[in-house]
Amino acid sequence: MLRWLALALPVVFGGCATTNADPRDPLEGLNRGVYAFNDKLDTWVVRPVASGYTKVLPGEIRDRVRNFFANIADPMIGVHNILQGKFEDGFFDWVRFGFNTTFGLFGLHDIASDMGYEKHNEDFGQTFGRWGLPAGPYLVLPFLGSSDIRDGIGLGLDYYFDPMTGVRDKDLSYGLWGLRFVQVRSDLLDASRILEEAALDKYTFQRDAYLQRRRSLIYDGRPPREREPESGVNPQGGRDVDNIAAGGRP
Amino acid sequence: MTKTIATLIAVLALGAAQAQELTPPDALVKQVTLEVVDLIAKDKEIRGGNRAKLIGLINEKVLPHFNFISMAALAMGQSWNKATPDQKKRVTDEFKTLLVRTYASALAAYSDQKFDFRPLRARPGDTDVTVNVRVLQPGAQPVPIDYSMEKTASGWKVYDVMVGGVSLVANYRTEFNNQVRESGVDGLIKNLSAKNRALEGTDKK
């Protein structure tokens, strides 16, 4: 084990000394290693399984599966909205859970959305971000992919508080988690193919998209303006580049 | 007399230009989106995976409403000012090819979904607005698609698209900067071009 570490360390830190050091990604060398591993695993195992899942099961059934897992997540999403001071949103997350669990047959049907109670997207990472905790260095987690220090800690807490974590029966627990992962990955099949086509360097493109996406989620699609230290040049005259970089509205 | 006719023509031309300008940005986005989604839905070949035909459709219907020079300039950031006019043109052309393909893939993937066109929040005199569209899908939070648009002499033009809070143009900035730092603007052009050729190759298979 020690010898393995001694061999791995120079590779990891040697990889960090790239010319394109990004201040948000000081562990780039290590991250790229994990990314390469995840990418191989995805190509050979995860993606084929997910794509088989979409081919075997009709869309109607896959919608039910997605709705079921979405529904059991709503109570915690409500807690997060309340922790972030969005009491109305939190209240309606529980209303959603109530309607969908009863009239929606254990969450198989998302009738609450049809009634106009929109689904929200919240987790511990977003709550911490809303409270002002910094993201910390970008991280690529083995198996799970893009994250950062804050979201990684958040993910651990998300797992701890997940209703499925309480399932005692081992076979049922593995089955549920397996199905949930396959369902999530199958929903991303189109997106991952587009990423593959669009990116010059997949690693950089995915990292930047993740960081932008999380920032947008923390502020529910309305992030405040952020000044980037390296830009500030106005290529067109009259337009604020920083504004676009931060994803802000003109 | 000739002067009167000339004035008349000028007035008519001006009137025509203004009439063209009158399509408000939100109406334009809605009209083009619905038209393209409808054309995709009706076309068996495109639904069957004919990429060349889909890209042709995007080129004809969507491309005229994008300002690719603005997009390339914003993606390049500081490097844009250092590039020669010829380099600028080549970056813009290659970037355009890549973006059209990406946009075609995205549209093909999401054309089955329901769209929710949000009312425009802008003041009457604004020349730079964001048009919000949302893609609704069962069991998930709606995905916002925000078009950043600027008013030009030839109508409203898109200069950035944000999907789920991810700005396409900003997302290319790191990549473009890295490439320029490593191998200059010509290196970036070479890489963009190689990427486009490789993707064309996969179409033919």
Side-chain angles (χ1 to χ4, degrees):
Chain A
M1 182 62 198
L2 265 180
R3 216 173 68 188
W4 182 85
L5 260 182
L7 281 173
L9 278 178
V11 176
V12 166
F13 289 101
C16 289
T18 49
T19 44
N20 292 320
D22 191 306
R24 301 165 303 173
D25 189 9
L27 302 171
E28 184 170 341
L30 176 65
N31 282 338
R32 275 191 190 267
V34 180
Y35 186 86
F37 167 76
N38 286 351
D39 200 42
K40 282 268 185 302
L41 188 74
D42 189 64
T43 309
W44 296 107
V45 183
V46 184
R47 194 169 52 203
V49 171
S51 121
Y53 172 80
T54 60
K55 284 190 185 108
V56 171
L57 288 181
E60 181 64 19
I61 308 265
R62 283 183 277 126
D63 285 351
R64 300 294 145 258
V65 174
R66 186 188 307 110
N67 285 347
F68 176 79
F69 290 123
N71 184 54
I72 59 172
D74 269 343
M76 263 322 278
I77 290 174
V79 170
H80 284 298
N81 271 322
I82 284 165
L83 288 175
Q84 295 173 31
K86 294 177 285 182
F87 299 105
E88 204 184 309
D89 284 354
F91 173 74
F92 282 116
D93 289 325
W94 289 337
V95 169
R96 279 180 52 85
F97 181 71
F99 275 132
N100 284 341
T101 305
T102 53
F103 301 114
L105 299 174
F106 303 105
L108 295 179
H109 298 269
D110 184 7
I111 52 162
S113 280
D114 299 334
M115 292 163 74
Y117 301 117
E118 239 166 49
K119 172 93 182 155
H120 298 125
N121 180 336
E122 300 295 344
D123 51 50
F124 273 100
Q126 291 182 52
T127 297
F128 292 153
R130 195 64 169 245
W131 289 351
L133 263 77
Y138 176 71
L139 281 183
V140 181
L141 302 174
F143 305 102
L144 299 169
S146 291
S147 191
D148 52 44
I149 301 283
R150 179 185 63 206
D151 291 344
I153 293 169
L155 201 62
L157 287 166
D158 289 335
Y159 175 76
Y160 184 79
F161 285 98
D162 196 285
M164 269 164 52
T165 306
V167 174
R168 287 291 162 84
D169 186 278
K170 261 204 172 134
D171 290 341
L172 181 64
S173 171
Y174 287 142
L176 282 171
W177 282 106
L179 182 60
R180 189 158 155 189
F181 275 119
V182 171
Q183 187 274 317
V184 168
R185 181 64 186 90
S186 72
D187 273 349
L188 294 171
L189 283 171
D190 284 324
S192 63
R193 192 174 41 85
I194 293 166
L195 170 85
E196 204 125 326
E197 286 184 6
L200 297 174
D201 171 21
K202 254 174 28 173
Y203 173 85
T204 313
F205 206 79
Q206 189 170 332
R207 177 191 67 201
D208 288 13
Y210 176 80
L211 295 174
Q212 278 201 69
R213 170 79 179 142
R214 290 299 291 180
R215 203 177 128 72
S216 165
L217 281 177
I218 286 167
Y219 295 102
D220 298 322
R222 291 176 293 275
R225 286 173 67 147
E226 183 183 52
R227 291 232 136 233
E228 276 190 12
E230 61 168 320
S231 60
V233 175
N234 223 333
Q236 291 278 292
R239 188 183 299 136
D240 190 351
V241 181
D242 290 345
N243 186 25
I244 293 148
R249 281 162 214 250
Chain B
M1 183 62 193
T2 31
K3 211 174 167 187
T4 326
I5 290 171
T7 316
L8 197 67
I9 289 170
V11 167
L12 280 175
L14 199 70
Q18 274 171 346
Q20 202 184 18
E21 254 184 336
L22 278 180
T23 311
D26 51 340
L28 186 68
V29 167
K30 185 174 180 176
Q31 177 198 316
V32 173
T33 308
L34 291 179
E35 189 188 356
V36 170
V37 166
D38 186 52
L39 285 170
I40 292 175
K42 279 183 192 153
D43 196 308
K44 278 216 179 92
E45 284 179 84
I46 290 180
R47 294 194 75 81
N50 187 334
R51 304 271 300 172
K53 200 168 178 192
L54 175 61
I55 289 170
L57 177 72
I58 305 288
N59 274 331
E60 184 196 341
K61 299 285 176 191
V62 181
L63 199 131
H65 306 293
F66 276 72
N67 186 349
F68 289 102
I69 298 172
S70 278
M71 295 180 100
L74 286 164
M76 278 184 75
Q78 289 153 308
S79 317
W80 181 255
N81 292 334
K82 294 176 204 146
T84 66
D86 179 56
Q87 284 175 325
K88 284 179 184 171
K89 190 185 170 301
R90 281 161 65 204
V91 170
T92 306
D93 285 347
E94 295 292 352
F95 194 36
K96 183 204 270 182
T97 308
L98 188 60
L99 286 177
V100 166
R101 173 179 300 273
T102 307
Y103 196 74
S105 297
L107 257 182
Y110 299 110
S111 62
D112 288 338
Q113 313 287 357
K114 269 187 234 157
F115 293 92
D116 170 23
F117 296 93
R118 312 294 288 171
L120 184 67
R121 283 174 306 171
R123 289 178 295 271
D126 282 352
T127 55
D128 192 335
V129 301
T130 306
V131 176
N132 310 116
V133 181
R134 299 188 320 157
V135 182
L136 307 175
Q137 35 189 11
Q141 198 186 33
V143 179
I145 302 181
D146 301 332
Y147 295 90
S148 302
M149 299 178 78
E150 59 186 342
K151 199 178 191 175
T152 72
S154 51
W156 286 88
K157 303 278 178 192
V158 176
Y159 66 86
D160 192 13
V161 185
M162 285 210 292
V163 180
V166 179
S167 149
L168 201 56
V169 162
N171 224 59
Y172 274 105
R173 187 168 304 139
T174 313
E175 288 203 293
F176 278 24
N177 279 336
N178 286 350
Q179 301 262 342
V180 170
R181 209 173 308 151
E182 272 168 24
S183 48
V185 179
D186 284 329
L188 170 65
I189 294 167
K190 218 173 113 187
N191 267 306
L192 275 171
S193 158
K195 174 91 197 168
N196 284 328
R197 297 299 91 77
L199 287 168
E200 262 171 35
T202 59
D203 276 356
K204 284 178 189 134
K205 268 181 208 161

